Amino acid sequence: MRSIIKAKVTVSTLTNRARFDDPHGMTATFVLVVRHTSAGIVGLAGSRAGVAVDPIIAYLAESRDVVQAAIDDPAFCAAVRDISEIVTGALRGGGKLLLAGNGGSAGDAQHLAGEILSRLNYDRAPGAAIALTTDSSVLTAIANDYGYDRVFERQILGLGRAGDVLIAISTSGRSPNILRAIAAAREKGLSVVGLTGKSGGEMPPLCDVCLRVPSDSTPVIQQIHITAGHIICGLVEQRLSPPARMK
């Protein structure tokens, strides 16, 4: 069952739970996601009589809450700033970015490498960035000869140089091949940036900067990783190649 509930309130947004008992003895628990309009607040009821909350509204609400938690977390915002400074310094000094992750995080590694090497907001000189997740021949050769835990480690040992940056992405902070990649980066003198989830797993003490998303949900963590990645790429782009109107 879905109903529309209107109330006059003074806040701009509100998420609330309400319990209603109708004349027939039915009990309904509603999750209200409300929107401020000139006519007041409009709420969408999401569940009744034990039926699961509308998954669309529930997921969007969860995503919104994690974004707000990140906004409210000074450590999160400081990490985004610090990562952008590390990346800017490396690229300005002739270094490159190496990015690694598994599954959805592999996609994020490729996405962010593309933003740096191509462009994000406007035309400018390309930045040096390599996702270590894309060469199927290299990946399968290393996995076959040395094991999957070493697919990033061996690439870093071969391609990494002092002055480069590794961006290591793991929502759990415990992916064995990511932890080995970090160790290899340390051995080669790279700066190490970690992107992970709320607990951080084993990554925080191993990284120069570790961005921890305030969530334990893998898909939501990945959403915030790419959001933070866009902010980082935008800051790097502005600092290395400011648009004409900013010069």
Side-chain angles (χ1 to χ4, degrees):
M1 175 182 174
R2 177 167 294 185
S3 60
I4 302 296
I5 299 171
K6 294 186 177 181
K8 191 71 174 180
V9 296
T10 56
V11 296
S12 60
T13 58
L14 174 68
T15 298
N16 198 5
R17 291 182 182 271
R19 180 184 176 92
F20 297 93
D21 295 290
D22 68 26
H24 302 289
M26 293 293 292
T27 298
T29 300
F30 294 90
V31 174
L32 305 179
V33 179
V34 299
R35 179 171 53 87
H36 183 72
T37 69
S38 59
I41 293 294
V42 178
L44 301 180
S47 68
R48 176 175 171 82
V51 179
V53 174
D54 183 333
I56 298 170
I57 294 174
Y59 190 87
L60 290 172
E62 180 186 6
S63 300
R64 177 210 53 213
D65 291 346
V66 175
V67 169
Q68 189 62 56
I71 292 170
D72 294 338
D73 182 1
F76 182 94
C77 297
V80 171
R81 177 202 62 209
D82 293 346
I83 293 168
S84 71
E85 291 174 354
I86 289 172
V87 172
T88 298
L91 295 178
R92 184 174 282 148
K96 61 183 176 293
L97 304 186
L98 301 176
L99 302 96
N102 295 284
S105 296
D108 289 344
Q110 292 159 215
H111 185 152
L112 296 176
E115 305 290 22
I116 293 294
L117 188 56
S118 181
R119 52 166 282 175
L120 179 63
N121 293 312
Y122 50 83
D123 293 331
R124 38 80 176 170
I130 303 171
L132 304 179
T133 55
T134 61
D135 191 326
S136 59
S137 295
V138 168
L139 291 168
T140 54
I142 297 172
N144 185 64
D145 295 342
Y146 299 98
Y148 187 70
D149 287 358
R150 301 185 66 181
V151 293
F152 302 132
E153 172 194 64
R154 194 153 180 86
Q155 292 185 77
I156 291 166
L157 292 174
L159 299 172
R161 300 290 183 270
D164 293 344
V165 178
L166 171 65
I167 297 183
I169 311 173
S170 170
T171 58
S172 69
R174 298 187 298 272
S175 300
N177 59 6
I178 292 297
L179 296 177
R180 292 189 73 113
I182 291 172
R186 287 298 190 202
E187 179 182 334
K188 295 288 291 186
L190 280 69
S191 298
V192 177
V193 166
L195 305 183
T196 186
K198 185 175 182 179
S199 74
E202 300 176 38
M203 289 175 63
L206 306 177
C207 300
D208 294 297
V209 181
C210 192
L211 182 72
R212 295 164 62 174
V213 175
S215 175
D216 296 315
S217 168
T218 295
V220 175
I221 294 169
Q222 290 172 334
Q223 290 170 208
I224 305 303
H225 281 171
I226 206 64
T227 299
H230 279 157
I231 298 170
I232 291 163
C233 290
L235 291 171
V236 171
E237 189 170 67
Q238 288 180 12
R239 289 167 181 168
L240 290 179
S241 303
R245 65 179 181 275
M246 296 178 62
K247 292 180 180 179

